[in-house]
Amino acid sequence: MWLKPEEVLLKNALKLWVTERSNDFFLLQRRRGHGEATSRITGLLVGALDTVLDSNARITPFRILLQVPGSQISWVIASGAAIEEVNKHWDWLVHNLLHSLSVFENKDDAASFVRGKVKGLIAEEVRGRQAAQEDDPEKFREALRKFELHFGLPSSEKLVTYYSCCCWKAHVPRQGFLYLSINHMAFYSFLLGKEVKFVIPWAEVTRLERVSTGKLTEAIRVSTRQRQREFSMFLSLDESFGVISQLADIALRRLLDSEGLELDRVLQQPARITKRILEEQALREYVLALFRLPRSEKLHELASCSVWTPHARCHTAGTLYTTDSYLCFSSKEEGSCTLLIPLSEVLSIEKAESTSHLPNPVIISVRTKKAFQLIDLQDRDELVESMNSRLRAMQWKKSMFRRKSESKRNPVSQNLQDMELVKQQLWEDHFTEFGRGVHMFRTEKIQRLVAMGIPDSLRGELWMTLSDAFSDLESHEGYYNSLVQKSMGHNNLATEEIERDLHRSLPDHPAFQNPTGIAALRRVLTAYAHRNPRIGYCQSMNILASVLLLFAKEEEAFWLLVAICERMLPDYFNRRVIGAQVDQSVFEELIRERLPELAEQVPDLSTLSSVSLSWFLTLFLSVLPFHSAVCVVDCFFYQGIKAIFQLGLAVLEANAVQLSASTDDGQALMILTSFLDQVGSEESPFSPPTSSPAENSCTTDPPPAGLVNIADLINESFVKFGDLTVRHIERLRCLHRIQVLQAHEDTIKENALRLTTADVYISPENLSDLYDLFKTEHFISLYWGDSSSAAAAEAAAWQYCDPGRTFVERQYRLDRPQFKSLYGLLAPWPASSNQHNDTLANRTFTLLDQDQDNLVTFKDFVCWVDILYCEDLNEKIRLLYRLHIPPALTENEDDPSVLKSPLLSTNRPLCVSLANDSKDYHEHLKQMLQDLAKEKEKDVEKPLPLMNQVRPTN
């Protein structure tokens, strides 16, 4: 294969290579020890060395070198594992290049020509491989060529897809092509001799919208901080808008601060992103959200089929989704009928005889002696074989870590109220008809039962079932106990925050007014913080964990907390609660969609969304009476975040008239708080705990009756807003995540400028431009730098960030090459006219890198620019002088210039002798200032004395 030309100083270093073919410009060499008939000691040693090396370090046995006659430097331009492969490259060089090279008078020019040609061949191969993945490779190859030609971006800027469309400019449509790459969107049009082209980095996109105006049928509006652009006339607006949204979302999560945001591994490698990958990723995100599966699950197959539903006595049509550990079924109408079967529960997957009434049937048997029948499966044989291979792997893994004993449920209290008995009987009837356990059919009937409130005796079991925390519990025997042992005794920020909040968790509940309940809560929270240090501990986790402990055993409560934090509320529990803020923005959008009259009367919906933040973070536990809030948690475990959106809309609709008449934020808050305080339930309170929070028994004292029944409110939310789909929520989340991340970015910039302004004389406008320049340089390394090293450096920066630094100081930092790039732009002397520019840039970076982590912060960078352009002459000279002494000057500096060991001279005021001068540094500085003053007096009239410029103090 062709290789990016790499220098080789010695053509036959250590006699490791044997030349097979050669001419004036090229050598074809073979690695010693490969293909030799005799057993020479050198060949044996080289062969042994190559065998011992790991696969990443092994050297291919054949290579082609580019050589310049009379030079000791060569370049490796091709290599191969087989002689046939390398011979093809050799023949191409001889037939296509060798004759052309003879016309070059300068042999170095000939070598440069060959290196450029090889790079072009590599780029063409990359384009070919990328085009081969598209539906129409030839069209995509042509589009890729035009993309590179029109915009001049580096070859590593991968084009994902392109669309024909119109861009509106001053009410005039310009027909052209919209190119979507991993880091940019670009538009090009050429009509009637008029060329229009522009590039928009995804990192600058602040909002994406589908708009409709009088002139446009429907268009996509892309907003940045500077302007808006509108695109229309797409062949498929839905597809185009989906891809644009995905790419913008992925880029912002990858480039902007994404601490706490999870990005799938395939999307962390931009070079692998294709349109097909984006389509697969969108489907996977939908399936994970619909069935609330672990983020690590990979989607394998998707097949249309019908499942026999005994309760309906018919086959229900829908779609089967298979993942690493689950078989999932959803009816055509989302939410009408769903089925979740963990592979850990499956005994066998078998094909049955096909008939006219039952085409291509498959029988899935589970441990509870039940079987599920699927029919109308296309490609049944391949699908069954794939599912069985994963089942065998799962069963082998279970045999290695089989549980020794079954978990025992808590005893059911015999002192139940009449309503509890009624609800319990309804659930038992439901289990008989629809099945019990994680693989029971989930239909509209279970939705009605959940709205009534799950009986206390079944609540822990059903929470574990509906969230599928049972699968995690059974597959991780002893995991929780080991976490508890490892985490206890460790003191860190998370444990300090946990200790501070322990007694704030349901303080009025008797279960947490004694050491037993507090100790159980401490163990659950510290164990989770130890399991997931990326999240650690966040406020509101204590409230959730305490409620979980009331209805489940301690280990079960831990796994329920895992399900909530890592699957059901993604990105909620981090330092900046990004996920919750995204859902607040989505909630505002849903208010506009579903409650337009309220949105019209209350133009600023941010008030309502800020009030509702605690609804999402605590699942209404902090705003509703306890027993009513627990019913909301029941719905959450059944429907996920969709239930919270629905209930939130129902609450606002019930108070729409009062909210429309409210005059300020405080009044709106009082209206909603008063309403939620009056929401009652038929649940009964708990008595003080006997031995643990999970073993509390119920009393017969009913709670105060509210004016609004929680079951009625939940049912109303189902009826009026039940058509809200998971797919719609996920699409809105993708769009609004862009806005939330950019709003955080604006806040970060404001804080960075505020912290820096007091220390410099640079104007606010110039300081803002410097921040943008600094940030852009940081992004460029992520765009087109070495992807592996850039990713590793970014990961290391976050993993080992100095806890003493503020978040703003850690946000964007430049390494040495990035700083040198900006140095060439901002240094007051032209880079082309200063032969020592590179040396000065290196020394400046070393001087600014005070903590020696090979990174420079924005504040350090700005202070350096401030000295160069705004400080007085003494400060400028002091800076230049410090570049010639340690720490800027290092002993191992590889610099052949006179700056390494110069003599003091007024002709070279930057040069200070360090090696052969006995004067100390202060004498050198004094002499330098005197020399500069004398030169100035010779050439310039002596001006009036300048006033002392003293920095203003606060």
Side-chain angles (χ1 to χ4, degrees):
M1 62 179 177
W2 298 110
L3 301 176
K4 183 178 179 181
E6 182 179 350
E7 281 191 8
V8 179
L9 295 180
L10 297 176
K11 294 183 292 184
N12 206 17
L14 302 178
K15 303 294 184 180
L16 298 179
W17 295 89
V18 178
T19 299
E20 298 284 339
R21 304 170 70 176
S22 66
N23 54 46
D24 290 343
F25 288 93
F26 303 108
L27 298 175
L28 192 157
Q29 295 185 331
R30 171 179 53 82
R31 186 80 164 171
R32 286 193 182 276
H34 293 272
E36 293 182 350
T38 58
S39 300
R40 294 182 179 178
I41 185 64
T42 306
L44 291 174
L45 289 174
V46 175
L49 176 64
D50 291 346
T51 303
V52 169
L53 292 175
D54 60 57
S55 58
N56 293 325
R58 287 178 188 167
I59 300 174
T60 53
F62 300 96
R63 71 180 185 180
I64 297 177
L65 297 182
L66 165 66
Q67 63 174 353
V68 177
S71 174
Q72 292 297 314
I73 299 177
S74 301
W75 291 268
V76 181
I77 59 174
S79 68
I83 186 63
E84 293 80 10
E85 178 186 3
V86 180
N87 277 334
K88 288 182 181 179
H89 291 334
W90 177 269
D91 293 340
W92 189 92
L93 291 170
V94 170
H95 290 101
N96 293 279
L97 289 186
L98 190 59
H99 178 71
S100 302
L101 298 180
S102 61
V103 303
F104 285 92
E105 295 182 0
N106 188 323
K107 302 305 179 183
D108 291 331
D109 293 341
S112 298
F113 172 75
V114 174
R115 294 198 300 271
K117 193 67 176 177
V118 170
K119 291 179 180 177
L121 291 172
I122 295 173
E124 185 63 27
E125 284 184 352
V126 171
R127 284 195 293 267
R129 287 195 298 270
Q130 187 175 349
Q133 301 175 3
E134 303 298 325
D135 296 333
D136 193 334
E138 289 304 318
K139 284 187 177 180
F140 189 85
R141 190 193 300 269
E142 179 64 18
L144 184 58
R145 186 188 66 80
K146 291 181 179 178
F147 174 69
E148 295 175 348
L149 175 66
H150 294 324
F151 303 104
L153 297 173
S155 58
S156 56
E157 179 66 9
K158 182 178 180 181
L159 178 66
V160 176
T161 190
Y162 64 99
Y163 296 102
S164 173
C165 67
C166 285
C167 176
W168 291 80
K169 186 176 182 180
H171 307 290
V172 177
R174 302 289 303 184
Q175 180 65 37
F177 283 92
L178 182 65
Y179 299 89
L180 307 178
S181 67
I182 54 177
N183 298 305
H184 303 82
M185 64 183 305
F187 179 80
Y188 182 84
S189 172
F190 187 84
L191 290 175
L192 303 176
K194 180 74 171 180
E195 182 183 60
V196 174
K197 67 176 180 180
F198 55 82
V199 177
I200 304 175
W202 294 123
E204 294 183 7
V205 174
T206 58
R207 189 180 183 90
L208 294 174
E209 302 171 275
R210 291 178 64 161
V211 296
S212 180
T213 64
K215 302 184 294 296
L216 312 177
T217 54
E218 196 168 18
I220 298 174
R221 176 178 293 162
V222 180
S223 302
T224 66
R225 292 179 177 85
Q226 287 76 36
R227 63 176 304 167
Q228 294 179 343
R229 300 213 183 247
E230 293 177 348
F231 304 90
S232 65
M233 307 294 183
F234 291 93
L235 185 62
S236 174
L237 188 70
D238 290 338
E239 175 192 313
S240 305
F241 188 64
V243 173
I244 291 172
S245 303
Q246 276 186 280
L247 286 171
D249 178 46
I250 292 168
L252 289 177
R253 285 198 281 176
R254 180 173 59 88
L255 297 173
L256 300 185
D257 167 57
S258 56
E259 185 179 1
L261 293 181
E262 293 187 5
L263 191 61
D264 293 320
R265 183 170 298 179
V266 67
L267 301 180
Q268 294 174 1
Q269 304 172 19
R272 295 181 57 189
I273 296 177
T274 63
K275 184 181 176 184
R276 187 174 304 171
I277 290 290
L278 292 178
E279 292 171 351
E280 294 173 354
Q281 190 65 22
L283 178 60
R284 175 179 174 273
E285 291 286 343
Y286 168 68
V287 172
L288 294 185
L290 179 62
F291 297 97
R292 298 183 294 282
L293 302 181
R295 302 292 303 174
S296 58
E297 287 295 303
K298 180 181 178 181
L299 182 63
H300 290 285
E301 292 98 10
L302 177 151
S304 297
C305 68
S306 296
V307 172
W308 174 255
T309 48
H311 57 276
R313 299 183 181 279
C314 66
H315 285 90
T316 300
T319 305
L320 175 70
Y321 306 94
T322 69
T323 69
D324 294 331
S325 308
Y326 295 88
L327 305 178
C328 312
F329 173 83
S330 176
S331 57
K332 289 185 177 180
E333 182 182 352
E334 184 184 294
S336 177
C337 179
T338 58
L339 179 65
L340 182 66
I341 307 176
L343 278 179
S344 58
E345 295 287 316
V346 175
L347 295 177
S348 64
I349 304 174
E350 300 173 319
K351 294 178 289 185
E353 184 178 353
S354 182
T355 66
S356 58
H357 297 290
L358 300 174
N360 297 329
V362 172
I363 306 300
I364 302 173
S365 303
V366 296
R367 290 193 301 176
T368 55
K369 298 182 180 180
K370 289 181 60 177
F372 300 92
Q373 183 189 74
L374 285 68
I375 63 172
D376 289 329
L377 278 165
Q378 298 296 323
D379 300 323
R380 178 183 66 163
D381 295 345
E382 293 82 356
L383 180 62
V384 170
E385 177 59 32
S386 176
M387 290 191 294
N388 271 320
S389 65
R390 291 195 296 277
L391 176 61
R392 288 191 293 269
M394 176 75 69
Q395 290 173 339
W396 177 84
K397 184 178 180 181
K398 284 181 63 179
S399 67
M400 300 296 292
F401 304 99
R402 190 176 302 277
R403 293 180 64 87
K404 297 181 180 179
S405 61
E406 293 294 330
S407 175
K408 296 182 180 179
R409 301 294 313 160
N410 293 328
V412 179
S413 173
Q414 301 300 314
N415 189 22
L416 296 174
Q417 297 179 353
D418 292 341
M419 181 55 68
E420 283 286 296
L421 289 172
V422 171
K423 289 192 290 187
Q424 185 173 351
Q425 186 58 51
L426 288 173
W427 275 100
E428 294 295 342
D429 295 341
H430 183 274
F431 293 149
T432 302
E433 186 177 2
F434 294 86
R436 188 167 191 163
V438 68
H439 41 66
M440 68 179 171
F441 287 99
R442 307 180 190 193
T443 65
E444 294 180 354
K445 184 175 180 180
I446 194 175
Q447 178 176 292
R448 291 193 294 271
L449 288 176
V450 170
M452 293 173 58
I454 299 174
D456 296 336
S457 58
L458 297 174
R459 185 164 270 140
E461 175 189 348
L462 282 169
W463 284 359
M464 293 288 289
T465 296
L466 296 174
S467 66
D468 192 35
F470 265 137
S471 296
D472 288 332
L473 175 65
E474 293 191 351
S475 61
H476 293 81
E477 180 185 2
Y479 177 77
Y480 174 68
N481 290 332
S482 67
L483 276 182
V484 170
Q485 294 176 2
K486 293 177 182 176
S487 61
M488 286 302 173
H490 288 272
N491 292 321
N492 50 45
L493 181 60
T495 58
E496 292 175 3
E497 292 177 344
I498 290 171
E499 290 297 326
R500 186 173 61 245
D501 289 346
L502 283 176
H503 295 278
R504 303 176 185 175
S505 310
L506 302 183
D508 297 330
H509 200 286
F512 299 99
Q513 293 175 354
N514 65 82
T516 303
I518 294 296
L521 181 59
R522 178 186 292 111
R523 288 192 294 269
V524 169
L525 292 175
T526 54
Y528 184 79
H530 193 78
R531 164 190 166 86
N532 192 341
R534 187 180 182 89
I535 292 178
Y537 170 78
C538 295
Q539 287 189 351
S540 79
M541 287 174 64
N542 60 319
I543 298 176
L544 295 174
S546 58
V547 173
L548 299 176
L549 280 167
L550 292 173
F551 301 100
K553 297 177 67 173
E554 185 175 314
E555 186 174 5
E556 293 173 344
F558 168 79
W559 286 112
L560 286 170
L561 185 64
V562 170
I564 292 173
C565 295
E566 299 178 11
R567 290 194 272 126
M568 304 184 74
L569 295 177
D571 304 328
Y572 262 59
F573 299 98
N574 54 53
R575 181 175 44 79
R576 296 180 301 142
V577 291
I578 291 291
Q581 293 186 54
V582 171
D583 280 351
Q584 295 312 292
S585 187
V586 171
F587 190 50
E588 289 185 31
E589 185 78 15
L590 292 175
I591 295 173
R592 296 186 186 95
E593 290 181 5
R594 300 306 183 99
L595 303 173
E597 294 181 0
L598 176 61
E600 186 177 349
Q601 295 295 325
V602 186
D604 185 9
L605 294 177
S606 61
T607 301
L608 300 181
S609 64
S610 62
V611 170
S612 65
L613 179 61
S614 61
W615 303 355
F616 288 81
L617 281 174
T618 66
L619 308 179
F620 281 90
L621 286 167
S622 62
V623 294
L624 281 175
F626 176 77
H627 303 288
S628 301
V630 171
C631 294
V632 176
V633 179
D634 294 340
C635 297
F636 170 75
F637 277 116
Y638 173 63
Q639 286 192 312
I641 196 63
K642 173 183 172 180
I644 308 300
F645 281 119
Q646 291 174 169
L647 186 59
L649 291 171
V651 169
L652 294 183
E653 186 188 47
N655 296 274
V657 176
Q658 298 92 318
L659 290 173
S660 298
S662 63
T663 57
D664 54 51
D665 298 353
Q667 191 174 357
L669 176 61
M670 290 180 60
I671 292 170
L672 294 174
T673 302
S674 176
F675 174 82
L676 293 172
D677 285 342
Q678 298 175 16
V679 176
S681 74
E682 296 169 340
E683 294 287 335
S684 56
F686 289 96
S687 64
T690 54
S691 59
S692 71
E695 296 175 358
N696 293 327
S697 58
C698 298
T699 66
T700 56
D701 299 328
L707 299 179
V708 181
N709 186 275
I710 185 62
D712 295 337
L713 187 61
I714 291 174
N715 278 320
E716 186 176 357
S717 72
F718 284 160
V719 171
K720 294 186 176 180
F721 308 107
D723 58 338
L724 180 63
T725 64
V726 172
R727 190 183 298 275
H728 185 52
I729 291 174
E730 289 302 307
R731 286 174 178 169
L732 291 179
R733 277 176 164 177
C734 180
L735 292 174
H736 288 273
R737 191 182 295 112
I738 295 171
Q739 300 175 35
V740 170
L741 286 175
Q742 290 288 20
H744 273 278
E745 192 66 16
D746 291 339
T747 302
I748 291 169
K749 179 178 178 179
E750 291 172 4
N751 291 337
L753 299 184
R754 177 175 52 81
L755 293 175
T756 309
T757 300
D759 299 326
V760 297
Y761 290 120
I762 302 175
S763 68
E765 295 79 10
N766 290 336
L767 196 59
S768 177
D769 292 340
L770 281 175
Y771 182 91
D772 294 337
L773 183 64
F774 190 87
K775 173 180 163 183
T776 300
E777 184 63 36
H778 171 80
F779 282 168
I780 287 175
S781 68
L782 300 180
Y783 288 165
W784 307 308
D786 181 359
S787 59
S788 59
S789 62
E794 192 73 7
W798 280 112
Q799 183 176 0
Y800 301 109
C801 60
D802 181 4
R805 290 183 182 273
T806 65
F807 171 73
V808 172
E809 291 173 331
R810 299 197 312 260
Q811 177 60 8
Y812 294 124
R813 293 184 285 176
L814 300 185
D815 60 17
R816 189 178 297 270
Q818 295 167 340
F819 175 80
K820 289 170 67 175
S821 175
L822 289 187
Y823 187 97
L825 293 174
L826 297 175
W829 42 85
S832 57
S833 64
N834 192 335
Q835 60 177 325
H836 307 306
N837 203 63
D838 188 70
T839 301
L840 291 174
N842 276 316
R843 292 188 184 180
T844 303
F845 180 87
T846 303
L847 183 65
L848 298 180
D849 181 22
Q850 298 179 5
D851 53 4
Q852 298 182 349
D853 60 355
N854 290 319
L855 294 170
V856 169
T857 67
F858 174 68
K859 186 173 183 179
D860 295 334
F861 171 76
V862 167
C863 289
W864 167 72
V865 175
D866 183 61
I867 292 175
L868 290 184
Y869 287 95
C870 301
E871 286 284 5
D872 57 27
L873 180 62
N874 290 338
E875 289 297 324
K876 294 176 182 178
I877 294 177
R878 184 178 292 113
L879 170 64
L880 295 177
Y881 174 71
R882 291 177 64 196
L883 296 179
H884 297 78
I885 61 175
L889 178 63
T890 59
E891 290 297 328
N892 57 354
E893 182 178 288
D894 184 17
D895 178 23
S897 71
V898 292
L899 281 177
K900 180 67 179 179
S901 182
L903 297 175
L904 181 63
S905 167
T906 54
N907 296 325
R908 293 196 311 275
L910 299 180
C911 303
V912 180
S913 174
L914 291 176
N916 301 316
D917 199 334
S918 59
K919 295 182 179 180
D920 62 16
Y921 300 141
H922 295 287
E923 290 295 325
H924 285 308
L925 182 59
K926 184 177 180 181
Q927 183 64 42
M928 184 188 300
L929 292 173
Q930 292 175 354
D931 291 345
L932 287 173
K934 290 178 181 178
E935 285 194 356
K936 191 173 181 181
E937 289 177 358
K938 291 178 183 177
D939 303 328
V940 184
E941 289 187 11
K942 188 173 181 180
L944 292 173
L946 296 176
M947 294 179 66
N948 243 351
Q949 295 184 358
V950 181
R951 186 189 301 270
T953 58
N954 294 329

